[in-house]
Amino acid sequence: MPLYDTQNIKIYNSLTGEKEPFEPITKGHIGMYVCGPTVYSNVHLGNVRTFMSFDMIFRYFKHLGYKVRYVRNITDAGHLENDADRGEDKITKKARLEAIEPMEIVQRYTVDFHNVLNTFNFLPPSIEPTATGHIIEQIELIQTIIDNGFAYIVNGSVYFDVHKYNESNEYGILSKRKLEDLIHNTRTLDGQSDKKNPQDFALWKKAEPTHIMRWPSPWSDGFPGWHLECTAMSTKYLGEQFDIHGGGMDLKFPHHECEIAQNKAAKGQDPVKYWMHANMLELNGARMSKSTGNYINPAELLSGKNDIMSKGYSPSVVRFFMMQASYKSVLDLTDDGLLAAEKGFNRLMEALKIVGTLKTNDSSSINISEWKQQCYDAMNDDFNTPILIAKLFDAVKFINQVKEGNATISKDDLELLKETLELFSFEILGLQDASKTDNTTVKLTSAVEILINLRKEARLNKDFALSDKIRDELAEAGIQLQDGKDGTTFTTN
Ligand code: AMP
Ligand code: ZN
């Protein structure tokens, strides 16, 4: 019997605002679409957080035995400056500034994106389609929307008629906005006079003579609107109705709202059963964002070469830090938070190291099967990773008690405990065993841990000359040891 038959997941559905029992459209199968990056610059850690939330979700579904088709696109055309319907294409702009081809920009930042995700131990999605690879599908979709009376053509561009759509549908159903309020609050931008109403959005834009990325269509030489690609690619690979659509919270409006409208206008139904939105990563109390300059790149955080953090952090520490918060909560990236995460991560890894060496007994002081189910319960409750981590730390505490002789564990339970701890730490949370990765920071951290343990042994043997020597020589090398009630930790300068 597959695990998904016994583990009942609840998912917070942004569309209904409720936590709902998860039931896939086809038993045992899950179709999940997540909006991918626009590849015009290096990804920042905010982007990483959103994709990491869905990586964790993907991992858990797979573990439960579902056959998951996970589609995450690459936006390589159609995304204009300020997410608007006019202005320059983000990719073309970068290409112009660097005097290279737009596709060179796409290639460079797609490679960067993949490298970053590999560093953070992401699983690849099942399909990674590009907007430029699906121009034909997008043109077909536009034609259907025109044929159904929900779009109009002006000067070679095609616009979605939001007001017409709203007569028989609810525009704003996902973002809980009302069209009347939007009408009140929309500024009329010059150059948008082609549109019947400012709320309408572009499905196809006629390209200016200087616009490089262009394709022939029945309406003009031009390019698709940004919202359209996700509708075309999600339904192409996952069908007219699929289980989960995800993305960052900032995409709810207008991007996802427009996706729903396009789908209903084309096919008469909302294609998505569960809409999931990951919350934002903040820096200095404000949303991390390329456009405001308030961001930090993964390489800067890992190397410590930045003005914000006191040192570099390993990819697994960053992952652990992110997993300590629910995907639905805002999370502030701080040095203190990362230092605490590093301590926690090291404690977890230490417990994983010693668990195999524990002495067993006839019986166990705690019920390991019950604890294991509590780990599942945390994940089943809308992927509550902070609760899961708290449960893992219950096990860490218990392991240390057994080690000190203050608790007992049977042979079978020890096997189960070890297996479960490894399963949730590595397979589901995607952490990597410090001693098994080839990251230099991680390796050096392990080396310092070894010295800390040798110093502890020296002190137990009352060899204070040696213990002081270890501390002082580490300090000379720029590594300060701090003795606390939970053991010794270190910082670097
Ligand atoms: P973009 O390349 O700007 O389209 O963004 C790619 C993904 O990153 C989208 O799902 C965004 O919602 C997400 N994203 C952007 N900024 C942040 C942030 N500060 N925190 C979390 N996710 C973000
Ligand atoms: Zn999208």
Side-chain angles (χ1 to χ4, degrees):
M1 191 163 60
L3 269 174
Y4 59 71
D5 273 343
T6 50
Q7 304 298 337
N8 301 313
I9 299 183
K10 282 193 168 176
I11 291 184
Y12 179 82
N13 188 348
S14 309
L15 187 64
T16 57
E18 311 237 344
K19 225 186 254 181
E20 300 171 3
F22 175 64
E23 278 167 27
I25 295 165
T26 310
K27 190 177 178 328
H29 293 257
I30 294 177
M32 175 162 91
Y33 185 91
V34 172
C35 293
T38 304
V39 281
Y40 72 105
S41 66
N42 296 105
V43 281
H44 59 64
L45 279 150
N47 307 131
V48 171
R49 182 186 183 206
T50 284
F51 298 126
M52 193 181 283
S53 298
F54 289 101
D55 181 64
M56 169 272 292
I57 290 167
F58 179 42
R59 284 167 173 274
Y60 189 55
F61 282 145
K62 277 167 69 102
H63 167 66
L64 293 188
Y66 285 110
K67 286 212 167 9
V68 193
R69 184 177 293 167
Y70 173 24
V71 182
R72 189 185 63 211
N73 71 300
I74 296 276
T75 297
D76 58 354
H79 197 170
L80 304 188
E81 287 177 286
N82 309 316
D83 299 347
D85 275 345
R86 58 190 293 273
E88 210 170 352
D89 179 293
K90 291 187 187 207
I91 289 161
T92 314
K93 181 176 178 182
K94 190 66 176 271
R96 180 172 55 76
L97 293 174
E98 300 208 9
I100 56 176
E101 277 290 319
M103 276 298 151
E104 286 182 273
I105 293 293
V106 166
Q107 176 69 7
R108 180 195 297 167
Y109 295 111
T110 303
V111 169
D112 168 73
F113 176 62
H114 288 150
N115 284 343
V116 167
L117 298 198
N118 279 338
T119 306
F120 286 100
N121 196 29
F122 277 60
L123 297 181
S126 328
I127 306 178
E128 200 170 40
T130 61
T132 56
H134 296 77
I135 300 291
I136 292 170
E137 288 82 350
Q138 295 183 73
I139 290 174
E140 278 174 6
L141 188 60
I142 296 171
Q143 192 58 56
T144 310
I145 297 174
I146 296 173
D147 293 347
N148 290 350
F150 291 106
Y152 55 92
I153 307 157
V154 184
N155 295 329
S157 292
V158 185
Y159 294 99
F160 189 93
D161 191 338
V162 170
H163 290 237
K164 173 78 197 302
Y165 171 79
N166 201 55
E167 286 169 13
S168 47
N169 297 276
E170 202 181 325
Y171 184 75
I173 192 168
L174 177 67
S175 55
K176 318 292 173 230
R177 294 173 196 226
K178 291 231 166 311
L179 185 56
E180 302 119 59
D181 299 339
L182 290 171
I183 293 169
H184 253 76
N185 299 333
T186 319
R187 279 175 302 132
T188 315
L189 298 169
D190 55 338
Q192 289 199 334
S193 50
D194 274 359
K195 292 186 190 178
K196 280 204 244 172
N197 291 291
Q199 295 76 36
D200 295 349
F201 57 89
L203 298 175
W204 186 265
K205 287 281 288 181
K206 179 181 176 175
E208 301 289 324
T210 50
H211 196 105
I212 309 172
M213 296 176 94
R214 54 168 69 220
W215 293 265
S217 81
W219 315 289
S220 63
D221 267 16
F223 55 94
W226 171 42
H227 312 306
L228 197 70
E229 56 171 284
C230 290
T231 303
M233 295 188 277
S234 59
T235 49
K236 169 160 177 150
Y237 296 111
L238 300 173
E240 287 190 10
Q241 276 207 302
F242 56 95
D243 299 297
I244 295 174
H245 192 316
M249 203 72 100
D250 56 327
L251 296 186
K252 225 190 224 184
F253 187 87
H255 188 55
H256 292 160
E257 196 70 64
C258 294
E259 275 190 52
I260 293 180
Q262 290 167 159
N263 256 298
K264 282 201 170 157
K267 311 276 158 76
Q269 61 186 6
D270 181 0
V272 179
K273 204 165 170 195
Y274 304 90
W275 280 93
M276 295 184 74
H277 289 97
N279 217 327
M280 295 290 109
L281 185 69
E282 296 191 339
L283 186 65
N284 304 314
R287 191 188 133 188
M288 202 179 279
S289 153
K290 263 267 135 86
S291 54
T292 57
N294 185 44
Y295 67 89
I296 177 165
N297 282 340
E300 296 166 336
L301 185 66
L302 300 179
S303 66
K305 286 190 188 124
N306 63 75
D307 300 331
I308 306 161
M309 306 299 168
S310 62
K311 64 192 214 57
Y313 294 95
S314 76
S316 279
V317 167
V318 178
R319 200 166 172 120
F320 185 85
F321 169 78
M322 292 190 177
M323 291 293 128
Q324 275 181 312
S326 154
Y327 79 89
K328 289 203 301 292
S329 317
V330 169
L331 176 63
D332 200 24
L333 187 73
T334 62
D335 198 39
D336 284 351
L338 285 161
L339 281 169
E342 186 173 65
K343 239 167 116 174
F345 172 73
N346 289 340
R347 268 186 74 207
L348 179 61
M349 290 304 122
E350 185 56 31
L352 277 155
K353 233 180 279 168
I354 63 168
V355 67
T357 67
L358 293 179
K359 291 201 178 66
T360 54
N361 220 293
D362 291 342
S363 65
S364 307
S365 323
I366 63 166
N367 185 329
I368 302 293
S369 305
E370 216 171 85
W371 165 79
K372 179 178 175 178
Q373 185 51 44
Q374 288 167 0
C375 293
Y376 277 103
D377 291 346
M379 287 302 287
N380 294 343
D381 183 15
D382 196 24
F383 313 98
N384 198 329
T385 51
I387 300 285
L388 169 66
I389 290 177
K391 290 290 154 203
L392 299 185
F393 276 96
D394 285 349
V396 169
K397 205 167 138 200
F398 175 66
I399 288 167
N400 287 319
Q401 283 170 346
V402 175
K403 186 183 156 207
E404 309 284 327
N406 297 325
T408 59
I409 188 158
S410 71
K411 193 162 173 293
D412 288 351
D413 274 352
L414 181 65
E415 201 45 50
L416 185 63
L417 173 67
K418 182 169 182 287
E419 200 183 272
T420 309
L421 203 56
E422 285 176 353
L423 161 74
F424 282 98
S425 303
F426 303 136
E427 193 176 319
I428 309 236
L429 290 178
L431 303 172
Q432 282 178 305
D433 183 346
S435 58
K436 286 190 189 145
T437 55
D438 61 0
N439 182 286
T440 309
T441 315
V442 174
K443 282 182 181 166
L444 289 178
T445 302
S446 303
V448 176
E449 299 288 348
I450 292 169
L451 287 166
I452 288 174
N453 286 334
L454 283 175
R455 176 167 165 264
K456 196 170 155 195
E457 263 177 45
R459 286 163 98 188
L460 284 175
N461 295 333
K462 302 214 177 326
D463 186 351
F464 296 112
L466 179 60
S467 79
D468 288 351
K469 189 175 154 74
I470 292 174
R471 185 196 56 208
D472 295 345
E473 292 194 2
L474 278 175
E476 269 174 44
I479 298 165
Q480 282 82 34
L481 300 188
Q482 282 106 21
D483 296 316
K485 62 176 182 351
D486 294 334
T488 304
T489 55
F490 72 94
T491 51
T492 54
N493 55 15

